[in-house]
Amino acid sequence: MEDEKNLMMSDKEIEKQNFLCWYSMYATESDIKKANTINKPAMDRLINEYSYDIERMHISRSLHEELF
């Protein structure tokens, strides 16, 4: 039972994973602008909260593009 609890993601972890995946991989610039128009407070919170991870992903992507 304890092992099952450790394997389950919290709602916060799911939110983070979903947002970062959408923001970094799927969202176009237009999608991001639209999301900011529809719900700016939520977008500001998510971008602020996960800015470190977003920046890390951008650096990683840039490095990958340079190498390959």
Side-chain angles (χ1 to χ4, degrees):
M1 184 72 161
E2 187 67 32
D3 288 338
E4 287 180 22
K5 271 189 165 181
N6 291 336
L7 294 176
M8 293 184 64
M9 293 175 69
S10 70
D11 289 344
K12 196 70 173 163
E13 291 169 327
I14 293 169
E15 174 190 81
K16 179 180 179 179
Q17 183 178 14
N18 287 343
F19 177 73
L20 290 174
C21 186
W22 173 79
Y23 189 86
S24 299
M25 297 174 71
Y26 298 109
T28 63
E29 189 174 330
S30 173
D31 293 334
I32 294 169
K33 285 181 183 178
K34 188 175 183 179
N36 270 320
T37 301
I38 293 169
N39 198 348
K40 185 159 179 53
M43 283 294 290
D44 287 347
R45 178 186 66 80
L46 291 166
I47 290 170
N48 185 43
E49 196 166 323
Y50 304 125
S51 62
Y52 174 77
D53 296 290
I54 292 168
E55 186 60 27
R56 212 170 56 179
M57 291 168 109
H58 284 281
I59 291 169
S60 177
R61 180 177 294 138
S62 297
L63 182 60
H64 182 267
E65 289 172 359
E66 285 179 27
L67 294 174
F68 301 100

